[in-house]
Amino acid sequence: MYLLTWSRLLARRSRFPRDEKGHPYLPGDYLMESLKDAVVFYLVKRDKALEGKIKRYLSVGRLNPEDVAEDVWRMVSERYPFLKGVKFPEVVPLDPGGVQTVTVGVFDLKAGYEVDTFKSEAFSGFLSVGDGIPKEALERIRYAGRSFTEALVKMEMAMLGDHPLTERFHIPLLNDMRRWEIPLRLGRWTTSPYGGRLMFFWRIKEVRERILRDYGTDIRPRKVLLLPRDMATAGWSEIKTRKPF
Protein backbone atom coordinates (compact mmCIF):
# COMPACT_ATOMS: atom_id res chain seq x y z
CA MET A 1 0.00 0.00 0.00
CA TYR A 2 1.05 3.56 -0.66
CA LEU A 3 0.41 6.99 0.78
CA LEU A 4 -0.06 9.84 -1.68
CA THR A 5 -0.24 13.42 -0.40
CA TRP A 6 -2.65 15.81 -2.12
CA SER A 7 -1.68 18.74 0.09
CA ARG A 8 1.46 18.96 2.17
CA LEU A 9 1.68 16.78 5.27
CA LEU A 10 2.99 18.82 8.21
CA ALA A 11 5.17 17.45 10.99
CA ARG A 12 3.39 17.48 14.34
CA ARG A 13 6.18 19.32 16.13
CA SER A 14 7.50 21.47 13.27
CA ARG A 15 10.13 18.83 12.41
CA PHE A 16 9.85 15.17 11.44
CA PRO A 17 11.73 12.73 13.69
CA ARG A 18 15.04 11.28 12.45
CA ASP A 19 16.48 7.78 12.61
CA GLU A 20 19.96 6.98 13.89
CA LYS A 21 21.44 8.03 10.52
CA GLY A 22 19.65 11.37 10.58
CA HIS A 23 17.11 10.44 7.90
CA PRO A 24 13.57 11.83 8.36
CA TYR A 25 10.69 9.44 8.81
CA LEU A 26 6.93 9.41 9.26
CA PRO A 27 5.84 7.69 12.49
CA GLY A 28 3.26 4.99 11.84
CA ASP A 29 0.97 6.50 14.45
CA TYR A 30 0.31 9.43 12.08
CA LEU A 31 -1.50 6.91 9.89
CA MET A 32 -3.11 4.98 12.71
CA GLU A 33 -4.50 8.02 14.51
CA SER A 34 -5.95 9.40 11.28
CA LEU A 35 -7.59 6.07 10.52
CA LYS A 36 -9.02 5.88 14.06
CA ASP A 37 -10.56 9.35 13.68
CA ALA A 38 -12.24 8.34 10.44
CA VAL A 39 -13.47 4.91 11.57
CA VAL A 40 -14.92 6.15 14.87
CA PHE A 41 -16.69 9.05 13.16
CA TYR A 42 -18.17 6.75 10.50
CA LEU A 43 -19.22 3.78 12.65
CA VAL A 44 -20.73 5.84 15.48
CA LYS A 45 -22.79 7.68 12.87
CA ARG A 46 -24.09 4.42 11.36
CA ASP A 47 -24.53 2.24 14.44
CA LYS A 48 -27.31 3.53 16.72
CA ALA A 49 -26.67 0.88 19.36
CA LEU A 50 -23.00 1.87 19.51
CA GLU A 51 -23.93 5.56 19.66
CA GLY A 52 -26.30 4.82 22.56
CA LYS A 53 -23.57 2.95 24.44
CA ILE A 54 -21.16 5.83 23.97
CA LYS A 55 -23.79 8.36 25.10
CA ARG A 56 -24.29 6.41 28.33
CA TYR A 57 -20.55 6.22 28.92
CA LEU A 58 -20.15 9.96 28.32
CA SER A 59 -23.01 10.92 30.62
CA VAL A 60 -21.27 9.60 33.75
CA GLY A 61 -18.51 11.47 35.58
CA ARG A 62 -16.13 14.16 34.38
CA LEU A 63 -14.97 13.96 30.80
CA ASN A 64 -11.26 13.84 30.04
CA PRO A 65 -10.97 14.30 26.26
CA GLU A 66 -7.67 12.39 26.04
CA ASP A 67 -9.07 9.33 27.82
CA VAL A 68 -12.41 9.53 26.06
CA ALA A 69 -10.87 9.21 22.60
CA GLU A 70 -9.06 5.99 23.52
CA ASP A 71 -12.04 4.57 25.44
CA VAL A 72 -14.37 5.18 22.51
CA TRP A 73 -11.88 3.60 20.10
CA ARG A 74 -11.78 0.55 22.37
CA MET A 75 -15.59 0.28 22.29
CA VAL A 76 -15.65 0.57 18.52
CA SER A 77 -12.88 -1.98 17.91
CA GLU A 78 -14.48 -4.46 20.33
CA ARG A 79 -17.75 -4.24 18.42
CA TYR A 80 -15.97 -4.41 15.05
CA PRO A 81 -13.07 -6.88 15.52
CA PHE A 82 -11.81 -6.45 11.95
CA LEU A 83 -10.18 -3.21 13.11
CA LYS A 84 -7.78 -5.08 15.39
CA GLY A 85 -5.95 -6.39 12.33
CA VAL A 86 -5.04 -2.92 11.08
CA LYS A 87 -1.36 -2.09 11.64
CA PHE A 88 1.24 0.18 10.11
CA PRO A 89 5.05 0.18 10.35
CA GLU A 90 6.36 2.14 13.33
CA VAL A 91 8.78 3.95 11.02
CA VAL A 92 8.03 4.94 7.41
CA PRO A 93 11.16 6.47 5.79
CA LEU A 94 10.63 9.76 3.98
CA ASP A 95 12.42 10.72 0.81
CA PRO A 96 14.52 13.69 1.97
CA GLY A 97 13.80 15.35 -1.38
CA GLY A 98 10.14 15.48 -0.45
CA VAL A 99 10.77 17.23 2.88
CA GLN A 100 10.88 21.02 2.88
CA THR A 101 10.64 23.77 5.46
CA VAL A 102 7.63 25.93 4.63
CA THR A 103 5.75 28.89 6.02
CA VAL A 104 2.46 27.85 7.60
CA GLY A 105 -0.42 30.21 8.27
CA VAL A 106 -2.81 29.75 11.18
CA PHE A 107 -6.15 30.44 9.54
CA ASP A 108 -9.11 31.32 11.75
CA LEU A 109 -12.11 29.85 9.93
CA LYS A 110 -14.66 31.98 11.76
CA ALA A 111 -12.76 35.23 11.35
CA GLY A 112 -11.81 34.46 7.75
CA TYR A 113 -8.14 35.49 7.89
CA GLU A 114 -4.68 34.39 9.10
CA VAL A 115 -3.95 35.14 12.74
CA ASP A 116 -0.38 33.81 12.94
CA THR A 117 2.43 32.15 10.95
CA PHE A 118 5.26 29.76 11.76
CA LYS A 119 7.84 27.53 10.03
CA SER A 120 7.45 23.77 9.80
CA GLU A 121 8.81 20.81 7.88
CA ALA A 122 6.33 19.43 5.38
CA PHE A 123 6.32 16.34 3.17
CA SER A 124 4.91 16.08 -0.33
CA GLY A 125 5.03 12.93 -2.44
CA PHE A 126 4.22 9.25 -2.08
CA LEU A 127 5.69 6.43 -0.03
CA SER A 128 5.15 2.79 0.78
CA VAL A 129 3.29 2.18 4.05
CA GLY A 130 3.22 -1.63 4.12
CA ASP A 131 0.17 -3.86 3.89
CA GLY A 132 -1.39 -2.84 7.19
CA ILE A 133 -5.05 -2.92 6.17
CA PRO A 134 -6.47 -6.46 5.82
CA LYS A 135 -8.56 -7.12 2.71
CA GLU A 136 -11.68 -7.77 4.80
CA ALA A 137 -11.36 -4.29 6.32
CA LEU A 138 -10.64 -2.33 3.14
CA GLU A 139 -14.19 -1.57 2.08
CA ARG A 140 -15.36 -0.28 5.45
CA ILE A 141 -12.22 1.77 5.94
CA ARG A 142 -12.67 3.23 2.46
CA TYR A 143 -16.18 4.39 3.34
CA ALA A 144 -14.98 5.67 6.71
CA GLY A 145 -12.20 7.72 5.14
CA ARG A 146 -14.58 9.25 2.62
CA SER A 147 -17.22 10.06 5.21
CA PHE A 148 -14.78 11.71 7.60
CA THR A 149 -12.77 13.73 5.10
CA GLU A 150 -15.90 14.96 3.33
CA ALA A 151 -17.26 16.09 6.70
CA LEU A 152 -14.04 18.01 7.37
CA VAL A 153 -14.08 19.66 3.94
CA LYS A 154 -17.72 20.70 4.34
CA MET A 155 -17.04 21.99 7.85
CA GLU A 156 -14.24 24.21 6.57
CA MET A 157 -16.41 25.40 3.67
CA ALA A 158 -19.33 26.23 5.96
CA MET A 159 -17.13 28.21 8.33
CA LEU A 160 -15.35 30.05 5.49
CA GLY A 161 -18.53 31.13 3.76
CA ASP A 162 -17.76 33.08 0.58
CA HIS A 163 -14.00 33.28 1.18
CA PRO A 164 -12.03 32.78 -2.11
CA LEU A 165 -10.32 29.68 -0.65
CA THR A 166 -13.65 27.83 -0.79
CA GLU A 167 -14.01 28.08 -4.57
CA ARG A 168 -10.32 27.85 -5.33
CA PHE A 169 -9.44 24.91 -3.11
CA HIS A 170 -12.27 23.22 -1.21
CA ILE A 171 -14.79 22.68 -4.02
CA PRO A 172 -12.23 21.01 -6.35
CA LEU A 173 -10.90 19.01 -3.37
CA LEU A 174 -14.37 17.73 -2.51
CA ASN A 175 -14.96 16.64 -6.10
CA ASP A 176 -11.55 15.01 -6.46
CA MET A 177 -11.56 13.05 -3.20
CA ARG A 178 -14.65 11.12 -4.25
CA ARG A 179 -12.34 9.29 -6.64
CA TRP A 180 -9.66 8.55 -4.06
CA GLU A 181 -9.35 5.01 -2.69
CA ILE A 182 -9.01 5.77 1.03
CA PRO A 183 -9.01 9.50 1.82
CA LEU A 184 -7.44 10.48 5.15
CA ARG A 185 -6.22 13.65 6.83
CA LEU A 186 -2.76 13.24 8.28
CA GLY A 187 -0.26 15.09 10.41
CA ARG A 188 -0.80 18.50 11.92
CA TRP A 189 -3.66 20.34 10.25
CA THR A 190 -5.25 22.32 13.09
CA THR A 191 -4.15 24.12 16.25
CA SER A 192 -6.69 22.11 18.25
CA PRO A 193 -4.82 19.80 20.66
CA TYR A 194 -7.30 17.05 19.81
CA GLY A 195 -7.15 17.33 16.03
CA GLY A 196 -10.08 15.37 14.65
CA ARG A 197 -10.23 12.88 17.53
CA LEU A 198 -13.40 14.34 19.03
CA MET A 199 -15.31 15.02 15.82
CA PHE A 200 -17.68 12.13 16.44
CA PHE A 201 -18.98 14.13 19.45
CA TRP A 202 -20.39 16.72 17.09
CA ARG A 203 -23.28 14.43 16.21
CA ILE A 204 -24.22 13.91 19.87
CA LYS A 205 -25.85 17.16 20.94
CA GLU A 206 -25.78 16.52 24.70
CA VAL A 207 -22.07 15.72 24.69
CA ARG A 208 -21.22 18.57 22.32
CA GLU A 209 -22.89 21.04 24.66
CA ARG A 210 -21.26 19.51 27.72
CA ILE A 211 -17.76 19.75 26.22
CA LEU A 212 -18.42 23.39 25.36
CA ARG A 213 -19.75 24.11 28.86
CA ASP A 214 -17.09 22.23 30.86
CA TYR A 215 -14.02 23.01 28.75
CA GLY A 216 -15.00 26.07 26.72
CA THR A 217 -14.02 24.02 23.66
CA ASP A 218 -15.89 23.87 20.37
CA ILE A 219 -15.38 20.32 19.08
CA ARG A 220 -15.06 21.63 15.53
CA PRO A 221 -11.45 22.73 14.96
CA ARG A 222 -11.74 26.48 14.47
CA LYS A 223 -8.17 27.19 13.37
CA VAL A 224 -6.70 25.20 10.51
CA LEU A 225 -3.21 25.31 9.04
CA LEU A 226 -2.91 26.95 5.66
CA LEU A 227 -0.04 26.64 3.18
CA PRO A 228 -0.07 30.17 1.69
CA ARG A 229 2.14 29.36 -1.31
CA ASP A 230 -0.13 26.43 -2.25
CA MET A 231 -3.41 28.10 -1.29
CA ALA A 232 -4.39 24.85 0.42
CA THR A 233 -5.08 23.57 3.90
CA ALA A 234 -2.77 20.85 5.19
CA GLY A 235 -2.82 17.08 5.42
CA TRP A 236 -5.18 15.83 2.71
CA SER A 237 -3.88 12.40 1.71
CA GLU A 238 -4.88 9.12 0.09
CA ILE A 239 -3.97 5.52 0.78
CA LYS A 240 -3.78 3.49 -2.43
CA THR A 241 -3.55 -0.26 -2.81
CA ARG A 242 -1.30 0.09 -5.87
CA LYS A 243 1.71 2.26 -6.62
CA PRO A 244 0.32 5.58 -7.89
CA PHE A 245 2.93 6.17 -10.61
Side-chain angles (χ1 to χ4, degrees):
M1 291 186 177
Y2 298 85
L3 176 71
L4 176 63
T5 62
W6 288 98
S7 69
R8 296 180 195 268
L9 192 166
L10 296 177
R12 285 182 181 163
R13 293 178 176 83
S14 297
R15 192 171 185 267
F16 291 108
R18 264 62 175 174
D19 63 18
E20 63 277 3
K21 295 181 180 179
H23 297 152
Y25 68 87
L26 183 75
D29 66 359
Y30 276 46
L31 292 155
M32 197 64 202
E33 291 302 324
S34 178
L35 185 144
K36 284 182 179 181
D37 292 345
V39 166
V40 168
F41 179 85
Y42 175 70
L43 291 178
V44 172
K45 178 174 68 173
R46 290 179 58 86
D47 187 331
K48 295 301 180 185
L50 178 61
E51 182 177 305
K53 181 178 179 180
I54 291 171
K55 276 185 182 179
R56 291 190 293 274
Y57 157 75
L58 295 171
S59 66
V60 178
R62 182 170 174 79
L63 294 179
N64 180 326
E66 290 291 342
D67 294 340
V68 163
E70 283 305 314
D71 289 346
V72 169
W73 168 251
R74 195 175 306 113
M75 292 180 202
V76 171
S77 57
E78 285 173 357
R79 189 169 176 85
Y80 294 93
F82 72 87
L83 294 171
K84 295 178 181 178
V86 178
K87 294 181 180 178
F88 293 102
E90 290 185 11
V91 172
V92 180
L94 294 173
D95 175 2
V99 177
Q100 294 182 327
T101 298
V102 298
T103 298
V104 181
V106 179
F107 196 94
D108 189 314
L109 290 168
K110 288 187 177 179
Y113 54 82
E114 287 184 28
V115 294
D116 196 8
T117 60
F118 62 92
K119 297 287 188 180
S120 175
E121 282 190 339
F123 173 76
S124 179
F126 75 93
L127 58 155
S128 174
V129 293
D131 297 317
I133 303 178
K135 289 182 179 180
E136 61 272 18
L138 267 174
E139 195 66 13
R140 282 180 169 175
I141 288 174
R142 181 177 293 119
Y143 285 126
R146 287 177 181 170
S147 176
F148 184 62
T149 51
E150 284 189 14
L152 291 179
V153 174
K154 290 175 180 177
M155 176 197 74
E156 289 186 11
M157 290 172 65
M159 296 175 79
L160 279 169
D162 60 357
H163 190 279
L165 191 63
T166 301
E167 186 171 354
R168 185 169 174 179
F169 175 69
H170 289 89
I171 292 175
L173 175 69
L174 188 59
N175 291 331
D176 289 345
M177 69 169 40
R178 288 169 179 157
R179 296 189 291 270
W180 300 355
E181 279 195 67
I182 302 176
L184 291 175
R185 199 167 194 188
L186 298 179
R188 190 180 178 196
W189 54 269
T190 175
T191 60
S192 167
Y194 309 115
R197 298 186 78 194
L198 304 182
M199 280 295 292
F200 72 92
F201 282 169
W202 186 247
R203 296 190 63 259
I204 307 175
K205 182 174 182 289
E206 305 93 314
V207 178
R208 184 176 75 224
E209 292 176 347
R210 186 177 173 197
I211 290 280
L212 185 60
R213 182 183 67 246
D214 291 355
Y215 293 90
T217 299
D218 188 337
I219 294 166
R220 296 175 302 174
R222 171 174 171 166
K223 294 176 182 176
V224 297
L225 303 183
L226 175 69
L227 302 155
R229 287 185 60 186
D230 302 341
M231 276 302 289
T233 51
W236 303 104
S237 307
E238 175 188 6
I239 289 181
K240 300 182 74 68
T241 53
R242 296 183 180 181
K243 197 170 184 177
F245 307 109

